[in-house]
Amino acid sequence: MLLSIDGVSRTYTDSDSTVHAVDDVSLQVAAGEFVAVQGASGSGKSTLLLMAGGLLKPDSGHVQVNGQDPYCLKPDARAEFRAQNIGFVFQQFHLVPYLSVLDNILAPALAVSEPETRARARALQLIEQFGLSDRQQHVPAKLSSGERQRAAMARALLNEPKLILADEPTGNLDHNNADTLLGYLSDFATAGGAVLLVTHDDRAVACAQRVVHLQNGRIAEPVVNAVSSRR
Ligand SMILES: Nc1ncnc2c1ncn2[C@@H]1O[C@H](COP(=O)(O)OP(=O)(O)OP(=O)(O)O)[C@@H](O)[C@H]1O
Ligand SMILES: [Mg+2]
């Protein structure tokens, strides 16, 4: 199992309030699977994705990615493990503001020992695939939201991860760009990767083999995706 989430919970506590953002969620994504997560705003989708990605330690429960619990690793080892195994697309992109598109996309190569020429060739290939060739020297502030979103996706793919975790990755894209990105993710899963995608986009849901619904931090009954099961 590429991603195994076992009974994870996460509460956010401020001085005057407590939010049970994710409450005892279990979810598994195998190699070759494309799974979509849906749910109302505030239902805990991003919190769940951050925990799956080794970026937010659950209060309780366990996460395993490719057989390894990232939270058992020391910070440096965890960062390297994440860079090798997980491509993460943040809801707010989190591109580095003072780096060009090309250097943002290349950034994950710094965490793994890949020869610079190979990483660069791959970054340029991704830039072309995601239609960013004429924007590669721009900093994020000079990009449209959709261009930033595509750059964030290209960055997530640079190290050829085994698992992609993407938070609303088509939220700012027109139909053509959304189709390109979803096609890429579908091919990635078909080639043996695993995809867990948070989305409100029906086109993205149609690509998924399975849809998980979150409600107030808990999983509602899993449903087989009627669109993809008809194929
Ligand atoms: N850092 C934080 N501190 C306090 N509360 C938080 C924090 N992050 C999220 N929350 C709360 O936890 C709940 C779940 O938030 P989360 O961001 O996971 O939801 P979401 O399903 O991704 O929503 P959206 O669709 O709007 O992105 C919300 O009630 C939110 O206000
Ligand atoms: Mg969110």
Side-chain angles (χ1 to χ4, degrees), residues 46 49 87-96 101 104-105 126-127 129-132 135 138-158 164-182 184-185 197-201 204:
S46 294
L49 218 61
F88 200 104
V89 184
F90 294 92
Q91 190 169 13
Q92 313 295 343
F93 317 139
H94 294 319
L95 295 169
V96 181
V101 165
N104 263 288
I105 293 171
L126 287 163
I127 280 172
Q129 268 163 343
F130 287 106
L132 293 166
R135 290 286 177 275
H138 289 58
V139 292
K142 298 200 170 170
L143 302 178
S144 73
S145 300
E147 287 165 347
R148 271 179 235 150
Q149 189 148 45
R150 283 179 275 148
M153 177 55 77
R155 178 180 61 180
L157 295 166
L158 185 80
I164 291 178
L165 302 170
D167 204 342
E168 298 259 22
T170 58
N172 295 282
L173 301 185
D174 59 70
H175 285 177
N176 276 347
N177 278 305
D179 284 346
T180 302
L181 187 142
L182 291 169
Y184 202 104
L185 292 180
L197 186 92
V198 168
T199 190
H200 292 291
D201 181 349

Coordinates of all heavy atoms in Angstrom, one line a residue, residues 46 49 87-96 101 104-105 126-127 129-132 135 138-158 164-182 184-185 197-201 204:
S46 N -7.8 19.6 3.8 CA -6.4 20.0 3.7 C -5.6 19.5 4.9 O -4.4 19.1 4.8 CB -6.3 21.5 3.7 OG -6.8 22.0 2.5
L49 N -4.7 15.9 4.2 CA -3.6 15.8 3.2 C -2.3 16.2 3.8 O -1.3 15.5 3.5 CB -4.0 16.8 2.0 CG -3.6 16.3 0.6 CD1 -4.4 15.0 0.3 CD2 -3.9 17.3 -0.4
G87 N 5.0 13.9 -3.9 CA 4.8 15.2 -4.5 C 3.6 15.9 -3.9 O 2.5 15.3 -4.0
F88 N 3.8 17.1 -3.4 CA 2.7 17.7 -2.6 C 2.3 19.0 -3.4 O 3.2 19.9 -3.6 CB 3.1 18.0 -1.2 CG 1.9 18.2 -0.3 CD1 1.5 17.2 0.6 CD2 1.2 19.4 -0.3 CE1 0.4 17.4 1.5 CE2 0.1 19.6 0.5 CZ -0.3 18.6 1.4
V89 N 1.1 19.2 -3.7 CA 0.6 20.4 -4.3 C -0.3 21.1 -3.3 O -1.4 20.7 -3.0 CB -0.2 20.2 -5.6 CG1 -0.5 21.5 -6.3 CG2 0.7 19.4 -6.6
F90 N 0.2 22.2 -2.8 CA -0.5 23.0 -1.7 C -1.7 23.7 -2.3 O -1.6 24.3 -3.4 CB 0.4 24.0 -1.0 CG 1.5 23.3 -0.2 CD1 2.7 23.1 -0.8 CD2 1.4 22.9 1.1 CE1 3.8 22.5 -0.1 CE2 2.4 22.3 1.8 CZ 3.6 22.1 1.2
Q91 N -2.7 23.9 -1.5 CA -3.9 24.7 -1.9 C -3.5 26.1 -2.2 O -4.0 26.7 -3.1 CB -4.9 24.6 -0.8 CG -6.3 25.2 -1.2 CD -7.4 24.9 -0.1 OE1 -7.1 24.5 1.0 NE2 -8.6 25.1 -0.5
Q92 N -2.5 26.6 -1.5 CA -2.1 28.0 -1.7 C -0.7 28.1 -2.4 O 0.0 29.0 -2.3 CB -1.9 28.8 -0.4 CG -3.1 28.6 0.6 CD -4.4 29.3 0.0 OE1 -4.3 30.1 -0.9 NE2 -5.5 28.9 0.6
F93 N -0.4 27.0 -3.1 CA 0.8 26.8 -4.0 C 2.1 26.8 -3.2 O 3.0 26.0 -3.4 CB 0.9 27.9 -5.1 CG -0.4 28.1 -5.8 CD1 -0.8 29.4 -6.1 CD2 -1.3 27.1 -6.1 CE1 -2.0 29.7 -6.7 CE2 -2.5 27.4 -6.7 CZ -2.9 28.6 -7.0
H94 N 2.3 27.9 -2.3 CA 3.6 28.0 -1.6 C 4.8 28.0 -2.5 O 5.8 27.2 -2.2 CB 3.7 27.0 -0.5 CG 2.7 27.1 0.6 ND1 2.3 28.3 1.1 CD2 1.9 26.2 1.2 CE1 1.4 28.2 2.0 NE2 1.1 26.9 2.1
L95 N 4.8 28.7 -3.6 CA 6.0 28.9 -4.4 C 6.9 29.9 -3.7 O 6.5 30.7 -2.9 CB 5.7 29.4 -5.8 CG 4.8 28.5 -6.6 CD1 4.3 29.2 -7.8 CD2 5.6 27.2 -7.0
V96 N 8.2 29.7 -3.9 CA 9.2 30.7 -3.2 C 9.1 32.0 -4.0 O 9.4 32.0 -5.2 CB 10.6 30.1 -3.2 CG1 11.6 31.0 -2.5 CG2 10.6 28.7 -2.5
V101 N 10.2 30.6 -11.9 CA 9.5 29.4 -12.1 C 10.4 28.2 -12.2 O 10.3 27.2 -11.6 CB 8.6 29.5 -13.4 CG1 8.1 28.1 -13.8 CG2 7.4 30.4 -13.2
N104 N 12.0 27.4 -8.9 CA 11.0 26.8 -8.0 C 10.8 25.4 -8.3 O 10.7 24.5 -7.4 CB 9.6 27.6 -8.1 CG 9.4 28.6 -7.0 OD1 9.2 28.3 -5.9 ND2 9.5 29.9 -7.4
I105 N 10.7 25.1 -9.6 CA 10.4 23.7 -10.0 C 11.6 22.8 -9.7 O 11.5 21.6 -9.3 CB 10.1 23.6 -11.5 CG1 8.7 24.3 -11.7 CG2 10.0 22.2 -12.0 CD1 8.3 24.5 -13.1
L126 N 9.0 19.4 -17.8 CA 7.7 19.6 -17.1 C 7.2 21.0 -17.5 O 6.0 21.2 -17.7 CB 7.9 19.5 -15.6 CG 8.1 18.1 -15.1 CD1 8.7 18.0 -13.7 CD2 6.8 17.3 -15.1
I127 N 8.1 22.0 -17.6 CA 7.8 23.4 -17.9 C 7.1 23.4 -19.3 O 6.0 24.0 -19.5 CB 9.0 24.3 -17.9 CG1 9.3 24.7 -16.5 CG2 8.8 25.5 -18.8 CD1 10.6 25.4 -16.3
Q129 N 5.6 20.7 -20.7 CA 4.3 19.9 -20.6 C 3.2 20.7 -20.0 O 2.0 20.6 -20.4 CB 4.5 18.7 -19.8 CG 4.9 17.5 -20.6 CD 5.5 16.4 -19.8 OE1 5.9 16.6 -18.6 NE2 5.6 15.2 -20.3
F130 N 3.6 21.6 -19.1 CA 2.5 22.4 -18.4 C 2.4 23.8 -19.0 O 1.8 24.7 -18.4 CB 2.8 22.4 -16.9 CG 2.4 21.1 -16.3 CD1 3.4 20.3 -15.8 CD2 1.1 20.7 -16.1 CE1 3.1 19.0 -15.2 CE2 0.8 19.5 -15.6 CZ 1.7 18.6 -15.1
G131 N 2.9 24.0 -20.2 CA 2.7 25.2 -20.9 C 3.3 26.5 -20.3 O 2.7 27.5 -20.3
L132 N 4.5 26.3 -19.7 CA 5.1 27.4 -18.9 C 6.4 27.9 -19.6 O 7.1 28.7 -19.0 CB 5.4 27.0 -17.5 CG 4.1 26.8 -16.6 CD1 4.5 26.0 -15.3 CD2 3.4 28.1 -16.3
R135 N 7.3 31.4 -19.5 CA 7.2 32.0 -18.1 C 8.3 31.5 -17.2 O 8.3 31.9 -16.0 CB 5.8 31.7 -17.5 CG 4.6 32.4 -18.1 CD 4.6 33.9 -17.7 NE 3.6 34.6 -18.4 CZ 3.6 35.1 -19.6 NH1 4.7 35.0 -20.3 NH2 2.6 35.8 -20.1
H138 N 10.1 34.0 -14.9 CA 9.3 34.9 -14.1 C 9.2 34.5 -12.7 O 9.2 33.3 -12.4 CB 7.9 35.0 -14.6 CG 7.7 35.7 -16.0 ND1 8.4 35.3 -17.1 CD2 7.0 36.8 -16.3 CE1 8.1 36.1 -18.1 NE2 7.2 37.0 -17.6
V139 N 9.2 35.4 -11.7 CA 8.9 35.1 -10.3 C 7.4 34.9 -10.2 O 6.6 35.4 -11.0 CB 9.4 36.2 -9.4 CG1 10.9 36.2 -9.4 CG2 8.8 37.5 -9.7
P140 N 6.9 34.2 -9.1 CA 5.5 33.9 -9.0 C 4.6 35.1 -9.0 O 3.5 35.0 -9.6 CB 5.5 33.2 -7.6 CG 6.8 32.5 -7.5 CD 7.8 33.5 -8.1
A141 N 5.1 36.2 -8.5 CA 4.2 37.4 -8.4 C 3.8 37.9 -9.8 O 2.8 38.6 -10.0 CB 4.9 38.6 -7.7
K142 N 4.6 37.5 -10.8 CA 4.3 37.9 -12.2 C 3.5 36.9 -13.0 O 3.4 37.0 -14.2 CB 5.6 38.3 -12.9 CG 6.3 39.4 -12.2 CD 7.3 40.1 -13.1 CE 7.8 41.4 -12.5 NZ 8.9 42.0 -13.1
L143 N 3.0 35.9 -12.3 CA 2.2 34.9 -13.0 C 0.8 35.0 -12.7 O 0.4 35.5 -11.6 CB 2.7 33.5 -12.5 CG 4.2 33.1 -12.7 CD1 4.4 31.7 -12.1 CD2 4.6 33.1 -14.1
S144 N -0.1 34.4 -13.5 CA -1.5 34.3 -13.2 C -1.6 33.2 -12.2 O -0.7 32.3 -12.0 CB -2.3 34.0 -14.5 OG -2.0 32.6 -14.9
S145 N -2.8 33.1 -11.6 CA -3.1 32.0 -10.6 C -2.9 30.6 -11.2 O -2.3 29.7 -10.6 CB -4.5 32.1 -10.0 OG -4.6 33.4 -9.4
G146 N -3.4 30.5 -12.4 CA -3.4 29.2 -13.1 C -1.9 28.8 -13.4 O -1.5 27.7 -13.3
E147 N -1.1 29.8 -13.8 CA 0.3 29.6 -14.1 C 1.0 29.1 -12.8 O 1.8 28.2 -12.8 CB 1.0 30.8 -14.7 CG 0.5 31.0 -16.1 CD 0.9 32.4 -16.7 OE1 1.2 33.3 -15.9 OE2 0.8 32.6 -17.9
R148 N 0.7 29.8 -11.7 CA 1.3 29.4 -10.4 C 0.9 28.0 -10.0 O 1.7 27.2 -9.5 CB 0.8 30.3 -9.3 CG 1.6 31.6 -9.1 CD 1.1 32.5 -8.0 NE 0.9 33.8 -8.6 CZ 0.0 34.7 -8.3 NH1 -0.8 34.4 -7.3 NH2 0.0 35.8 -8.9
Q149 N -0.4 27.7 -10.3 CA -0.9 26.3 -10.0 C -0.1 25.3 -10.8 O 0.3 24.2 -10.3 CB -2.4 26.3 -10.2 CG -3.0 25.0 -9.7 CD -4.4 25.2 -9.3 OE1 -5.2 25.9 -10.0 NE2 -4.8 24.7 -8.2
R150 N 0.1 25.6 -12.1 CA 0.8 24.6 -12.9 C 2.3 24.5 -12.5 O 2.8 23.4 -12.5 CB 0.7 25.0 -14.4 CG -0.7 24.7 -14.9 CD -0.8 25.1 -16.4 NE -1.2 26.5 -16.5 CZ -0.9 27.4 -17.4 NH1 -0.1 26.9 -18.4 NH2 -1.3 28.6 -17.4
A151 N 2.9 25.6 -12.1 CA 4.3 25.5 -11.6 C 4.3 24.7 -10.3 O 5.3 23.9 -10.2 CB 4.8 27.0 -11.3
A152 N 3.3 24.8 -9.5 CA 3.3 24.0 -8.2 C 3.2 22.6 -8.5 O 3.8 21.7 -7.9 CB 2.2 24.5 -7.3
M153 N 2.4 22.2 -9.6 CA 2.3 20.8 -9.9 C 3.6 20.3 -10.5 O 4.0 19.2 -10.2 CB 1.1 20.7 -10.9 CG 0.9 19.3 -11.5 SD 0.7 18.0 -10.2 CE -1.0 18.3 -9.7
A154 N 4.2 21.1 -11.4 CA 5.5 20.7 -12.0 C 6.5 20.4 -10.9 O 7.3 19.5 -10.9 CB 6.0 21.7 -13.0
R155 N 6.6 21.3 -9.9 CA 7.5 21.2 -8.8 C 7.2 19.8 -8.1 O 8.2 19.1 -7.7 CB 7.4 22.3 -7.8 CG 8.3 22.2 -6.6 CD 8.1 23.4 -5.7 NE 6.8 23.5 -5.1 CZ 6.4 24.4 -4.3 NH1 7.3 25.4 -3.9 NH2 5.2 24.5 -3.8
A156 N 6.0 19.5 -7.9 CA 5.6 18.3 -7.1 C 6.1 17.0 -7.9 O 6.3 16.0 -7.3 CB 4.1 18.2 -6.9
L157 N 6.2 17.2 -9.2 CA 6.5 16.0 -10.1 C 8.0 15.8 -10.3 O 8.5 14.8 -10.8 CB 5.8 16.1 -11.4 CG 4.3 16.0 -11.3 CD1 3.7 16.5 -12.6 CD2 3.9 14.6 -11.0
L158 N 8.8 16.9 -9.9 CA 10.2 16.9 -10.3 C 11.0 15.6 -10.0 O 11.7 15.1 -10.8 CB 11.0 18.1 -9.8 CG 12.4 18.2 -10.3 CD1 12.4 18.8 -11.7 CD2 13.3 18.9 -9.4
I164 N 1.3 11.2 -5.1 CA 1.0 12.6 -5.3 C -0.2 13.0 -4.4 O -1.2 12.3 -4.5 CB 0.7 13.0 -6.8 CG1 2.0 12.8 -7.6 CG2 0.2 14.4 -6.9 CD1 1.8 13.1 -9.1
L165 N 0.0 14.0 -3.6 CA -1.0 14.6 -2.8 C -1.3 16.0 -3.3 O -0.4 16.8 -3.3 CB -0.6 14.6 -1.3 CG -0.2 13.3 -0.8 CD1 0.5 13.5 0.6 CD2 -1.4 12.4 -0.6
A166 N -2.5 16.2 -3.8 CA -2.8 17.5 -4.4 C -4.1 18.1 -3.9 O -5.1 17.5 -3.9 CB -2.9 17.3 -6.0
D167 N -3.9 19.4 -3.5 CA -5.1 20.1 -2.8 C -5.7 21.0 -3.8 O -5.1 22.1 -4.1 CB -4.5 20.8 -1.6 CG -5.6 21.1 -0.6 OD1 -6.8 21.0 -0.9 OD2 -5.3 21.3 0.6
E168 N -6.8 20.7 -4.4 CA -7.5 21.5 -5.4 C -6.6 21.9 -6.5 O -6.6 23.1 -6.9 CB -8.1 22.8 -4.7 CG -9.0 22.5 -3.6 CD -10.5 22.7 -4.0 OE1 -10.7 22.6 -5.2 OE2 -11.3 22.9 -3.2
P169 N -6.0 21.0 -7.2 CA -5.0 21.4 -8.2 C -5.5 22.0 -9.5 O -4.8 22.5 -10.3 CB -4.2 20.1 -8.5 CG -5.1 19.1 -8.2 CD -6.0 19.5 -7.1
T170 N -6.8 21.8 -9.7 CA -7.4 22.4 -10.9 C -8.3 23.7 -10.6 O -8.9 24.2 -11.5 CB -8.3 21.4 -11.7 OG1 -9.4 21.0 -10.8 CG2 -7.5 20.2 -12.1
G171 N -8.2 24.1 -9.3 CA -9.1 25.2 -8.9 C -9.0 26.5 -9.7 O -9.9 27.3 -9.8
N172 N -7.8 26.7 -10.3 CA -7.6 28.0 -11.0 C -7.4 27.8 -12.5 O -6.9 28.7 -13.2 CB -6.3 28.7 -10.5 CG -6.6 29.2 -9.0 OD1 -7.2 30.2 -8.8 ND2 -6.1 28.4 -8.1
L173 N -7.7 26.6 -13.0 CA -7.3 26.3 -14.4 C -8.5 26.3 -15.3 O -9.6 25.9 -14.9 CB -6.7 24.9 -14.5 CG -5.4 24.7 -13.6 CD1 -4.8 23.3 -13.9 CD2 -4.4 25.8 -13.9
D174 N -8.3 26.7 -16.5 CA -9.3 26.6 -17.6 C -9.4 25.1 -18.0 O -8.6 24.3 -17.6 CB -8.9 27.4 -18.8 CG -7.6 27.0 -19.4 OD1 -7.5 25.9 -19.9 OD2 -6.6 27.8 -19.2
H175 N -10.4 24.8 -18.8 CA -10.7 23.4 -19.1 C -9.5 22.7 -19.8 O -9.1 21.6 -19.4 CB -11.9 23.3 -20.0 CG -13.2 23.5 -19.3 ND1 -14.4 23.5 -19.9 CD2 -13.4 23.7 -17.9 CE1 -15.3 23.7 -18.9 NE2 -14.7 23.8 -17.8
N176 N -8.8 23.4 -20.7 CA -7.7 22.8 -21.4 C -6.6 22.4 -20.4 O -6.0 21.3 -20.4 CB -7.1 23.7 -22.5 CG -7.9 23.6 -23.8 OD1 -8.7 22.6 -23.9 ND2 -7.7 24.5 -24.7
N177 N -6.2 23.4 -19.6 CA -5.1 23.1 -18.7 C -5.5 22.1 -17.6 O -4.7 21.3 -17.2 CB -4.7 24.5 -18.0 CG -3.7 25.2 -18.9 OD1 -2.7 24.7 -19.3 ND2 -4.1 26.5 -19.2
A178 N -6.8 22.2 -17.2 CA -7.2 21.1 -16.2 C -7.2 19.8 -16.8 O -6.7 18.8 -16.2 CB -8.7 21.5 -15.8
D179 N -7.5 19.6 -18.1 CA -7.5 18.3 -18.8 C -6.0 17.8 -18.9 O -5.8 16.6 -18.7 CB -8.1 18.4 -20.1 CG -9.7 18.4 -20.0 OD1 -10.2 18.1 -19.0 OD2 -10.3 18.7 -21.0
T180 N -5.1 18.7 -19.2 CA -3.7 18.4 -19.3 C -3.2 17.8 -17.9 O -2.6 16.8 -17.9 CB -2.8 19.6 -19.7 OG1 -3.3 20.1 -20.9 CG2 -1.4 19.2 -19.8
L181 N -3.5 18.6 -16.9 CA -3.1 18.2 -15.6 C -3.7 16.9 -15.1 O -3.0 16.0 -14.6 CB -3.4 19.3 -14.6 CG -2.8 19.2 -13.2 CD1 -2.4 20.5 -12.7 CD2 -3.9 18.6 -12.3
L182 N -5.0 16.7 -15.4 CA -5.7 15.5 -14.9 C -5.2 14.3 -15.8 O -5.1 13.2 -15.2 CB -7.2 15.7 -15.0 CG -7.8 16.7 -14.0 CD1 -9.2 17.0 -14.4 CD2 -7.7 16.1 -12.6
Y184 N -2.3 14.0 -16.9 CA -0.9 13.7 -16.4 C -1.1 12.8 -15.1 O -0.4 11.8 -14.9 CB -0.2 15.0 -16.0 CG 1.3 14.8 -16.0 CD1 2.1 15.2 -17.0 CD2 1.9 14.2 -14.9 CE1 3.5 15.0 -17.0 CE2 3.3 14.0 -14.9 CZ 4.1 14.4 -15.9 OH 5.4 14.2 -15.9
L185 N -2.0 13.2 -14.2 CA -2.2 12.5 -13.0 C -2.8 11.1 -13.3 O -2.4 10.1 -12.6 CB -3.1 13.2 -12.0 CG -2.6 14.5 -11.5 CD1 -3.6 15.2 -10.5 CD2 -1.3 14.3 -10.7
L197 N -6.3 13.2 -4.3 CA -6.6 14.5 -4.8 C -7.8 15.1 -4.1 O -8.9 14.5 -4.1 CB -6.9 14.4 -6.3 CG -7.1 15.6 -7.1 CD1 -5.8 15.9 -7.7 CD2 -8.1 15.3 -8.2
V198 N -7.6 16.3 -3.4 CA -8.8 17.0 -2.9 C -9.3 17.9 -4.0 O -8.6 18.6 -4.6 CB -8.3 17.9 -1.7 CG1 -9.4 18.9 -1.3 CG2 -7.9 17.1 -0.5
T199 N -10.6 17.8 -4.2 CA -11.2 18.6 -5.3 C -12.7 18.8 -5.2 O -13.4 18.0 -4.6 CB -10.9 17.8 -6.6 OG1 -11.3 18.7 -7.7 CG2 -11.7 16.5 -6.7
H200 N -13.1 19.9 -5.8 CA -14.5 20.2 -6.0 C -14.9 20.1 -7.4 O -16.0 20.4 -7.8 CB -14.9 21.6 -5.5 CG -14.7 21.8 -4.0 ND1 -15.6 21.3 -3.1 CD2 -13.8 22.5 -3.3 CE1 -15.2 21.6 -1.9 NE2 -14.2 22.4 -2.0
D201 N -13.9 19.7 -8.2 CA -14.1 19.8 -9.7 C -14.6 18.4 -10.2 O -14.0 17.4 -10.1 CB -12.7 20.1 -10.3 CG -12.6 20.2 -11.8 OD1 -13.7 19.8 -12.4 OD2 -11.6 20.6 -12.3
A204 N -12.3 16.4 -12.3 CA -11.2 15.6 -11.5 C -11.9 14.4 -10.9 O -11.3 13.3 -10.8 CB -10.6 16.5 -10.4

